[in-house]
Amino acid sequence: MANYTVRNVTSFIITGFDHLQNQKLLGFLILLAYMLILFGNSLNLCIIMTARHLHKPMYILICNLAIVDIMYTSCSSPTMISVLLAEIKTVSYYSCISRMFFYHLGDFTECMALTLMAIDRLIAIRFPLRYHSIVTNSRLILLILLTWIAGFGVISFIISVVDSLPHCRSVIRYVYCDYASLIRAACVDPEPYFLLSAMISMWPLFGQFSFIFCTYAVLAYSVAKLTNNSNKKQMINTCVSHIIVLLSYFAPKMFSIFLTRIGVVLTLTERNALQIIAAMTSPLINPAVYSIRTKEIRKRLADVFQCKKVAPIHLKTGS
């Protein structure tokens, strides 16, 4: 791959939605989903950060996932909302590059976050008596920091590759700025660059997914051996929560790859639809799963709403 310095494009026009009808309706749905993502993840963050008894490894991982989800979807959803609702289709070159950087950083760190959560659950179920000595807050924060550093390194390399290309096409046929859209806008043969991205994404999509799948197979075996029905039910609920989160992230990506590998030629509309699903499904599902299925967060939520209800009574009594 040659190293280029010429760039003739200073901005891009997002045209991925141009052929669609009912663009306002789609824009409203994406806006609603984005607001729910921000609200749900911010709520989980506030609950965990303000409750001292929730400052534990599992909840630190949930906080990390919430931060990743907010960053991940905030690099794609505002672009789609501005195009569909405000009809602002033009994005400057460096704005598009920065959105691409944080979008793919969020994608990478989300995969790493799910891996850490799987390891945490594996240690908790396989070594319950040693869990608190193995998984400490400081060790976990260090591991999370390392995943972010690794993400910055990998995505910075990808950005340097994209930024070195001559971009002479101002039209982006996708729905937001990502690696594929900027490669398509460059005046080069895209195949070597798509091969590069395929090689980089091979480990997260297949290596880490296979590893996580194996951890849950071990977890299923461990849970099946439990004799205490109460403990078994609790472990099953915990594992189900993590599996739902896992599938919401990997399923759209794996589905797209599977269709491509069996020779199904996707239209531009279908590709863009899969892009939207992949970008919004996981951040939308994650906070709902952990709010509903995690007992401590659910209890904390109930306490907050109860306090709001009883506050007027206290004020009235005090008066």
Side-chain angles (χ1 to χ4, degrees):
M1 291 179 284
N3 193 13
Y4 300 92
T5 57
V6 178
R7 184 188 307 118
N8 299 321
V9 171
T10 58
S11 62
F12 297 105
I13 301 172
I14 308 292
T15 63
F17 295 111
D18 283 3
H19 60 290
L20 295 181
Q21 297 179 349
N22 300 320
Q23 292 186 18
K24 297 293 184 183
L25 176 60
L26 178 59
F28 174 76
L29 292 176
I30 293 174
L31 175 62
L32 179 61
Y34 181 52
M35 291 174 64
L36 289 174
I37 288 168
L38 293 181
F39 174 76
N41 285 289
S42 299
L43 184 63
N44 275 353
L45 279 172
C46 290
I47 287 173
I48 294 171
M49 292 176 66
T50 57
R52 186 173 292 273
H53 69 283
L54 295 181
H55 295 176
K56 302 174 184 177
M58 175 182 172
Y59 299 100
I60 292 175
L61 288 169
I62 293 175
C63 278
N64 179 52
L65 189 63
I67 293 170
V68 170
D69 282 339
I70 290 172
M71 179 183 70
Y72 182 39
T73 191
S74 293
C75 297
S76 56
S77 298
T79 301
M80 295 187 287
I81 292 167
S82 66
V83 171
L84 292 168
L85 295 182
E87 298 183 2
I88 301 174
K89 300 180 180 181
T90 303
V91 182
S92 70
Y93 175 85
Y94 287 107
S95 176
C96 197
I97 281 283
S98 62
R99 293 180 197 189
M100 169 196 157
F101 176 84
F102 287 106
Y103 171 79
H104 288 293
L105 177 63
D107 195 12
F108 181 92
T109 49
E110 176 118 0
C111 187
M112 298 299 291
L114 293 175
T115 303
L116 290 179
M117 296 178 89
I119 295 172
D120 174 74
R121 288 302 87 200
L122 180 64
I123 296 173
I125 292 178
R126 292 291 294 173
F127 309 103
L129 298 179
R130 297 176 56 197
Y131 173 77
H132 294 291
S133 63
I134 298 174
V135 184
T136 63
N137 287 357
S138 57
R139 286 177 182 172
L140 195 58
I141 291 171
L142 177 60
L143 286 174
I144 291 172
L145 181 61
L146 289 175
T147 64
W148 281 84
I149 292 173
F152 269 99
V154 172
I155 306 306
S156 294
F157 169 71
I158 293 175
I159 290 293
S160 68
V161 171
V162 174
D163 190 46
S164 68
L165 299 179
H167 289 88
C168 54
R169 299 185 184 94
S170 61
V171 174
I172 289 179
R173 299 174 64 203
Y174 294 83
V175 291
Y176 50 78
C177 298
D178 67 347
Y179 181 84
S181 64
L182 288 178
I183 290 297
R184 291 291 187 192
C187 298
V188 294
D189 177 14
E191 293 307 318
Y193 298 93
F194 283 133
L195 178 61
L196 172 66
S197 68
M199 291 170 60
I200 292 175
S201 62
M202 192 70 69
W203 168 246
L205 282 180
F206 294 99
Q208 285 183 256
F209 177 77
S210 300
F211 172 78
I212 295 171
F213 181 82
C214 290
T215 63
Y216 280 104
V218 174
L219 290 177
Y221 175 75
S222 301
V223 170
K225 289 176 62 178
L226 293 175
T227 55
N228 188 310
N229 289 332
S230 177
N231 289 342
K232 182 181 288 189
K233 183 179 179 181
Q234 182 181 358
M235 295 301 182
I236 290 174
N237 285 336
T238 301
C239 291
V240 167
S241 299
H242 287 276
I243 290 171
I244 292 172
V245 169
L246 184 68
L247 290 177
S248 69
Y249 173 77
F250 279 105
K253 299 177 183 295
M254 302 296 282
F255 182 70
S256 177
I257 293 172
F258 173 74
L259 290 179
T260 303
R261 289 294 172 265
I262 64 174
V264 176
V265 179
L266 299 175
T267 65
L268 181 62
T269 302
E270 291 166 342
R271 288 186 180 276
N272 286 338
L274 285 173
Q275 270 193 298
I276 296 172
I277 292 170
M280 305 200 72
T281 301
S282 184
L284 186 61
I285 289 177
N286 292 349
V289 167
Y290 288 116
S291 295
I292 295 170
R293 299 191 64 87
T294 305
K295 181 180 178 181
E296 289 82 357
I297 295 179
R298 191 169 64 244
K299 184 177 183 300
R300 180 67 175 169
L301 269 174
D303 291 342
V304 169
F305 287 117
Q306 285 174 4
C307 286
K308 287 183 178 181
K309 291 180 180 179
V310 300
I313 299 175
H314 289 308
L315 292 174
K316 185 176 180 180
T317 304
S319 63

